[in-house]
Amino acid sequence: MLRLKEKDKPIVQKLLSSGCCARCVLRFCCVSVQAAYRKPPQETLEELRAFVCGDTEKNGEPREAPEGSAESHDVASHDATVSEPHGAPPNKRVKLEPDGSDAPEEEDAAAVVEPKDEEPSVCVACLGILQELCSPAEAAKISERVKAEKYEFDSLVLSVSLPAQLCVREHSCWLHVKKELREKSMAVDKDDVVQVKEAFKWTMQSLVAKELGGVAVVTRSPFEVGVEFTHPETDADCHFLATACGDCFRPTKNKQSVFTRMAVVKALEKISDAVFLKHYASPPAPPKSSCSPQNIQCLHTCVFIAGRYNKFSRSLPQTPWVIDGERRMESSVEELIAAPVLSSFRADGFNFSSSGREDVDVRTLGNGRPFAMELLNPHRSKLSNVDMKQLQETINNSSDKIRVRDLQIVSREAMSRMKEGEEDKTKSYTALVWTQKPIGSQDIAFIDDIKDLTLDQKTPLRVLHRRALAVRQRVVHRMNARFLDPHHFLLQLQTQAGTYIKEFVHGDFGRTKPNMCVLLDTHTDILELDVESVDVDWPPSIPE
Ligand code: ZN
């Protein structure tokens, strides 16, 4: 069943004799019934030939009939005729006896659609993509590749990338058809023509689904399988557009060629039919070879995980510490966490972020610091609560320098909660402070009474290379001092997030005002610092 109407006949004839494949003929006849594309193209081709021949015979009308007469019969007698293969018997004979010169009554028909080619030539419109590149064998290749990558997925989306010159060929075919349409006063919009991409998907989706044992091949899925076709032979097809529509092809930094699909489509929208036809044949010249399929790309959308970490080491940076290309510390918090996570999700890479960060020599104790990771191209995306617990154990057993809790999969949207309002949050610290002047416990007792002390912090010298020079106001909400010996005391602080604690203690050459030196009227320094808590209520805690 071709679902073609009598009025389509001259178009079918025209396209077949121009070297369009069966599926492309359906496309230009605006057949949008997916099943029509799933049939073996050879079968469709025979039906199309039958459709054309059958009625040519029936009408006793030679193919190259004067335009006028064709028009009149189109409107008159066969208006409502549909796709039924009314030309079936002659069609069969054409098929079985390709060089049926002994069948005189079919000679005309044979001449019309040239059924002598047993090997179908490469389609002028799709460059072979809807021919052998859209077959069960190709579907098997795609599924082999997907299986080899060992992704876990419930559904997949098939995407296809086509050479840009296909748009030029499509336009050329369209103009060829349009001429016929105009002569017949038929109104068809170019947008009604089924795109190569669509026809490819309609055909391949079900084939790939079958090869993968019934996996749903859908239009939206976190798992994408991309096929790409190139056709170097006809790459130059686009080039005339650069002179005809120069302003559409501006060189861009990252693109290899200015002839991107987008630019070509834009140029084709602008160019007049007359100018196009002056530079490019309509219908397009037949190609020698089919498109070449490139590597099949599998890509799973990112998975996000979150949790809290403790850092127990004073020689562990949060992220790899590299100065002048040289690594300074052998590991980092993010690497210690990432290694087991990446192997569990079988991801290609990650991005790590956290609610603030601590210096290499600062420990993070208490409930830990919230962090999140974006896992790139994970081959596994679903872990049960039990699996996540197991993963957390693996991380915690791998090193005594860090510990992770509340590890969970989160949404991309939820991740933003970690960053929002970060500056308004409070953080608690404990600092070991040294004083130059000997002190007694009575000398530091007044510190406990200080509430909501506002500091003016000029960007610390040690971070000036990465942060803009500014004076930032930060609030120390509460402090508590515990005497240790005449030169040492423990200082507990609760501060607004973003307060530089080290600078508050040693003063940073007066860049932080007031500071502990001013308050105690002696030189003071900070020997050790621990983050006791980061009061961000995300991610939700998970009971142990
Ligand atoms: Zn084609």
Side-chain angles (χ1 to χ4, degrees):
M1 250 250 248
L2 287 175
R3 300 172 199 264
L4 293 173
K5 297 204 167 63
E6 186 62 25
K7 65 179 170 58
D8 294 320
K9 190 170 289 180
I11 300 168
V12 173
Q13 267 182 348
K14 221 172 165 149
L15 290 167
L16 283 177
S17 53
S18 309
C20 276
C21 74
R23 283 171 176 150
C24 282
V25 172
L26 296 183
R27 292 195 303 111
F28 282 102
C29 291
C30 307
V31 174
S32 58
V33 179
Q34 300 192 14
Y37 294 86
R38 296 199 187 112
K39 281 170 59 165
Q42 196 54 37
E43 240 174 68
T44 308
L45 185 62
E46 276 150 18
E47 281 183 40
L48 288 171
R49 282 169 178 168
F51 171 61
V52 170
C53 305
D55 260 34
T56 309
E57 263 187 354
K58 209 160 141 190
N59 293 317
E61 206 173 306
R63 181 189 172 242
E64 301 299 343
E67 319 280 34
S69 70
E71 188 163 0
S72 63
H73 97 85
D74 176 67
V75 184
S77 48
H78 298 280
D79 208 6
T81 326
V82 264
S83 56
E84 298 306 327
H86 34 287
N91 158 52
K92 286 245 166 64
R93 294 188 57 181
V94 173
K95 174 182 161 195
L96 295 171
E97 303 158 50
D99 41 9
S101 48
D102 55 332
E105 78 279 8
E106 277 169 28
E107 260 190 319
D108 248 355
V112 169
V113 293
E114 300 162 27
K116 58 184 180 295
D117 304 317
E118 268 305 285
E119 289 284 303
S121 47
V122 178
C123 172
V124 294
C126 68
L127 297 171
I129 287 166
L130 298 179
Q131 296 174 298
E132 72 271 28
L133 296 172
C134 197
S135 62
E138 288 302 312
K141 274 191 212 164
I142 293 173
S143 107
E144 281 317 304
R145 168 78 185 179
V146 172
K147 284 181 195 160
E149 295 254 359
K150 295 193 164 53
Y151 280 90
E152 285 179 14
F153 57 95
D154 303 323
S155 66
L156 71 85
V157 60
L158 190 65
S159 73
V160 53
S161 165
L162 304 172
Q165 62 266 34
L166 220 60
C167 305
V168 176
R169 292 189 159 254
E170 189 83 351
H171 194 67
S172 159
C173 287
W174 164 248
L175 292 182
H176 190 54
V177 169
K178 196 164 110 175
K179 197 161 145 258
E180 184 73 35
L181 294 173
R182 208 168 22 226
E183 281 158 7
K184 302 276 182 296
S185 320
M186 285 155 67
V188 175
D189 192 347
K190 193 183 175 188
D191 291 343
D192 293 335
V193 172
V194 173
Q195 304 216 334
V196 174
K197 213 172 245 193
E198 286 302 302
F200 180 84
K201 286 184 189 173
W202 290 345
T203 313
M204 288 298 267
Q205 278 171 349
S206 56
L207 293 175
V208 171
K210 210 167 108 190
E211 287 289 339
L212 288 170
V215 162
V217 180
V218 292
T219 49
R220 283 187 80 125
S221 165
F223 182 49
E224 179 182 323
V225 177
V227 288
E228 186 189 354
F229 297 103
T230 59
H231 197 254
E233 183 195 327
T234 58
D235 272 344
D237 277 11
C238 301
H239 292 181
F240 77 93
L241 289 170
T243 34
C245 293
D247 53 333
C248 294
F249 300 96
R250 297 253 159 73
T252 50
K253 267 184 230 155
N254 308 317
K255 293 273 172 359
Q256 289 179 333
S257 161
V258 294
F259 298 102
T260 61
R261 201 177 164 81
M262 273 240 279
V264 169
V265 167
K266 212 168 103 193
L268 290 172
E269 277 168 8
K270 282 178 120 182
I271 197 168
S272 73
D273 293 358
V275 174
F276 183 91
L277 291 171
K278 214 159 76 188
H279 291 93
Y280 199 84
S282 172
K288 290 189 198 71
S289 58
S290 283
C291 279
S292 327
Q294 303 298 300
N295 278 342
I296 295 156
Q297 303 284 348
C298 299
L299 187 67
H300 198 289
T301 52
C302 298
V303 166
F304 297 90
I305 64 161
R308 289 184 173 78
Y309 73 79
N310 292 127
K311 173 163 105 68
F312 303 119
S313 165
R314 295 199 189 277
S315 60
L316 185 70
Q318 193 203 43
T319 52
W321 195 11
V322 179
I323 295 174
D324 295 331
E326 211 173 301
R327 185 143 195 168
R328 295 301 281 270
M329 298 279 178
E330 66 177 25
S331 191
S332 65
V333 173
E334 68 162 42
E335 285 166 288
L336 289 174
I337 297 174
V341 170
L342 287 185
S343 85
S344 190
F345 283 88
R346 289 186 282 127
D348 289 351
F350 68 92
N351 290 310
F352 186 91
S353 59
S354 63
S355 178
R357 56 189 298 156
E358 64 282 306
D359 290 337
V360 58
D361 57 350
V362 173
R363 298 188 301 177
T364 295
L365 309 174
N367 275 340
R369 184 185 297 279
F371 71 93
M373 281 174 85
E374 176 182 27
L375 305 176
L376 310 175
N377 195 18
H379 288 47
R380 183 182 181 201
S381 58
K382 286 180 184 155
L383 267 73
S384 68
N385 291 346
V386 175
D387 290 341
M388 284 304 277
K389 201 103 207 158
Q390 183 63 53
L391 173 56
Q392 184 171 296
E393 284 303 302
T394 307
I395 297 168
N396 291 341
N397 292 335
S398 70
S399 167
D400 53 9
K401 292 178 177 174
I402 59 151
R403 190 178 163 77
V404 165
R405 76 180 68 212
D406 303 332
L407 195 68
Q408 56 197 283
I409 294 177
V410 297
S411 67
R412 181 193 288 269
E413 294 71 40
M415 257 186 72
S416 60
R417 248 178 276 161
M418 188 175 75
K419 292 284 178 189
E420 78 195 16
E422 202 177 49
E423 298 276 288
D424 307 326
K425 303 287 179 183
T426 62
K427 299 201 179 184
S428 303
Y429 302 88
T430 302
L432 175 60
V433 181
W434 169 86
T435 63
Q436 191 175 41
K437 213 164 68 181
I439 50 163
S441 56
Q442 72 286 354
D443 297 320
I444 54 172
F446 76 98
I447 291 174
D448 295 8
D449 299 328
I450 299 174
K451 302 281 179 261
D452 295 323
L453 175 69
T454 300
L455 311 180
D456 288 325
Q457 290 202 303
K458 204 180 268 185
T459 308
L461 290 171
R462 66 188 167 94
V463 299
L464 207 47
H465 63 283
R466 58 179 169 89
R467 285 206 76 175
L469 178 63
V471 177
R472 298 177 183 84
Q473 287 207 326
R474 291 288 184 270
V475 178
V476 177
H477 298 296
R478 272 182 297 166
M479 287 188 282
N480 176 265
R482 221 174 80 215
F483 178 80
L484 293 176
D485 63 50
H487 288 285
H488 298 92
F489 69 97
L490 277 182
L491 179 65
Q492 291 180 312
L493 314 94
Q494 206 181 73
T495 73
Q496 181 183 358
T499 308
Y500 290 105
I501 307 301
K502 287 177 179 174
E503 280 69 18
F504 169 60
V505 173
H506 62 58
D508 201 22
F509 303 100
R511 297 166 69 87
T512 289
K513 282 186 266 191
N515 56 59
M516 200 43 81
C517 306
V518 170
L519 295 176
L520 287 175
D521 194 26
T522 180
H523 185 53
T524 60
D525 202 1
I526 185 162
L527 302 181
E528 284 179 355
L529 181 63
D530 291 333
V531 178
E532 296 292 349
S533 81
V534 181
D535 303 329
V536 174
D537 53 4
W538 188 89
S541 66
I542 295 173
E544 291 289 323

